[in-house]
Each structure stands twice: as C-alpha cells, then as structure tokens.
Amino acid sequence: MSDTPSDPPPSRAAGRLSARVSAQPRELMTDDPDLAGAWTAQVITLFPQAFPGVLGESLTGKALKDGLWQLQPIDLRPYGEGKHRNVDDTPAGGGAGMVLRPDIVGRAIEHAKSRAKGITPVIYLSPRGRRFDQALARELSQADGVILLCGRFEGVDERVIEEHGILEVSLGDFVLTGGEIAAQALIDATVRLIPRVLGNQASTEEESFSHGLLEHPQYTKPALWKGRAIPEILLSGHHAKITDWRRSMAERLTKERRPDLWRAYCAERDMDLDEDREL
C-alpha cells in the first residue's frame, strides 16, 4: 500500500479569497483566510463540525469574528485509507479498542505544519500529558498559534508522537471520549489572553492562577442580600487597603483549597507555609 495519499477532498470553505471582519465566526474557519498575523488554532479531528462550538459565543466568538484569532479545523477522515477512509486499526499486542494510525495522523500533521507560520507547537490532548495550567495558556498565547490533535478510541500510535515531537497536554486526572472538548477548553483559556480579546487586559492579571494564587472573592450590588453584606473595606474607597485585603483573601483561599499551589507560592517567595496574613 502506498504511503502517498490521494489529495484530500477540498474543505467546505475552499475557494474563499478572504475572510472579512464582518463575517460570521464559522466563515473564519477557512483553509487560507486573509488574516495575516492572527493567532491560529488548527485542530485535527474526526468531528470538524464540533467547531467552533462554544468558541463561537461570547468574547471568544466576537474576537473570532473580528479577526483577532482564527480557527482551522482539519478533518482527519479524508487522510484515511481505502473505500471507507479508515483511520485506525487494532492495538499491536492485542487488547480492546482501536488506535489511530501513525501514517494517517502524520499526513494531517504534515499538512497543518505546511501552512503554519512562526512558532506553532503541536499538541496532543491526552490524559497522560503535562497538566494544562495558566502558565502554559499564557505561553501558548504568545506563540503564533497551535496545532491540536484530538484523539479518539484508545489513542494515537506512539511513533507519530515521537516523530513530530508532540507535546502531550492534559486538562486533569480524568478521561474524555475524545479530545474535542479539551481542545476547546485549551483554546478558550489561551485566546482570552491575546491582547484586545477581553478589552480590559488588567482583568487577566487579577484572576485565579495569574500570580500563583486562587482569585479573591468577588462582590457586586446589592450591598445587602439575604442578610449578607459586602465587606465594608470594599466600599471604603481606600484602594491600597482593598488591594491588601484581596491579596490576603487570595492567599487564605489558596492555602485552604489548593495546598499544592500554596506550597509552590511559598517556596517561590521563601515564605513560611503556615503564614497567614491578618485581614
């Protein structure tokens, strides 16, 4: 069997000359959009119709429409073999399930790499990978984009991971039926850190994990609700004291709820693990 595939069928967006700022989010999901310099997420998946999904809503959807980033799903099926475009086979050595073939996945990755620009890491969403965190989201937001491989079945042949130096990334210690949901979560967490996406960049500097801490409690009107009042210090107008209160609450919450983060935070600042700032 030849390793040279027949050309995959054209995407549904083939023939577009450009993607205008006024286009709907899905119209920016093209093979060759006219969005020079925009952060780009190429997603290799058996379910391209799952995108943009929730990414087409709210701020990420508006940013997609405005051309601040672009989404390019790559359907894995056309790279398959035979009449039915098979993409998987039984595990070597026996066992349940099916494994995505390295030659099939490799073709899709090579196609994605051929149109990637600048720094574009290849990531495989996998429960055995590096745990995804805010630091990695920020690192990816500063790249030119990402190529995301969404697994299915029992996973991907190890050889394609080795061949392309793929970074495996996990959302946590659990297993999903496929990588599409994880890919959307990774994209969402990353895109919101791109300048101009949120509008107020300061908000990303104060939220959970930005300084190694969980976020402090938030309050808004009404000042009194079901007998519960907004802490007086937040209504004082004394910004220095408010800042100190918020940091103290963030430290206390982190110490109580995420001892792992608290240990890392203290180690980085040479602090006593048992330290708890007075409120």
Side-chain angles (χ1 to χ4, degrees), residues 42-56:
Q42 297 187 68
V43 186
I44 300 171
T45 172
L46 282 169
F47 299 95
Q49 68 276 13
F51 294 86
V54 71
L55 298 172

Side-chain angles (χ1 to χ4, degrees), residues 39 121 123 132 135-146 186 190:
W39 189 91
I123 293 175
F132 185 65
L136 181 54
R138 190 168 298 280
E139 181 182 334
L140 294 177
S141 74
Q142 294 169 352
D144 296 286
V146 292
L186 183 150
T190 301

Side-chain angles (χ1 to χ4, degrees), residues 11-13 19 25-45 47-49 51-52 55 64 69-76 79 108 111-117 120 144-150 183 187:
S11 73
R12 57 182 176 278
R26 185 166 290 276
E27 291 185 49
L28 294 182
M29 296 161 51
T30 67
D31 282 341
D32 297 293
D34 183 15
L35 293 172
W39 189 91
T40 303
Q42 297 187 68
V43 186
I44 300 171
T45 172
F47 299 95
Q49 68 276 13
F51 294 86
L55 298 172
L64 183 62
W69 70 287
Q70 57 188 327
L71 177 64
Q72 298 174 345
I74 298 174
D75 188 354
L76 182 61
Y79 294 89
H111 171 64
K113 282 185 170 181
S114 71
R115 63 184 189 179
K117 297 179 180 179
T120 305
D144 296 286
V146 292
I147 297 170
L148 302 178
L149 172 60
C150 298
I187 292 171

Side-chain angles (χ1 to χ4, degrees), residues 187-247:
I187 292 171
D188 182 85
T190 301
V191 164
R192 64 194 303 280
L193 298 176
I194 296 173
R196 296 172 52 207
V197 169
L198 290 188
N200 179 10
Q201 203 63 21
S203 64
T204 67
E205 298 171 3
E206 298 175 356
E207 59 196 9
S208 288
F209 310 114
S210 292
H211 299 286
L213 297 171
L214 299 181
E215 189 176 15
H216 57 77
Q218 298 280 10
Y219 298 88
T220 188
K221 296 179 180 178
L224 184 67
W225 179 74
K226 293 192 175 183
R228 300 174 183 271
I230 294 176
E232 289 185 12
I233 194 171
L234 297 179
L235 306 176
S236 69
H238 197 301
H239 298 297
K241 289 184 178 180
I242 290 172
T243 297
D244 190 59
W245 180 88
R246 286 173 169 169
R247 173 55 64 92

Side-chain angles (χ1 to χ4, degrees), residues 96-122:
M98 304 291 279
V99 177
L100 291 174
R101 289 176 42 162
D103 50 347
I104 307 301
V105 174
R107 292 169 192 162
I109 291 175
E110 287 161 8
H111 171 64
K113 282 185 170 181
S114 71
R115 63 184 189 179
K117 297 179 180 179
I119 300 173
T120 305
V122 183

Side-chain angles (χ1 to χ4, degrees), residues 42-48 50-51 74 76-77 87-88 98-101 105 108-109 122-128 147-157 160-161 166-170 175-184:
Q42 297 187 68
V43 186
I44 300 171
T45 172
L46 282 169
F47 299 95
F51 294 86
I74 298 174
L76 182 61
R77 185 66 65 183
V87 299
D88 57 358
M98 304 291 279
V99 177
L100 291 174
R101 289 176 42 162
V105 174
I109 291 175
V122 183
I123 293 175
Y124 170 43
L125 286 310
S126 164
R128 72 179 192 180
I147 297 170
L148 302 178
L149 172 60
C150 298
R152 280 278 156 179
F153 319 121
E154 295 304 310
V156 179
D157 189 298
V160 77
I161 296 174
I166 297 174
L167 172 64
E168 296 184 68
V169 172
S170 170
V175 180
L176 299 171
T177 55
E180 286 74 19
I181 294 175
Q184 292 194 18

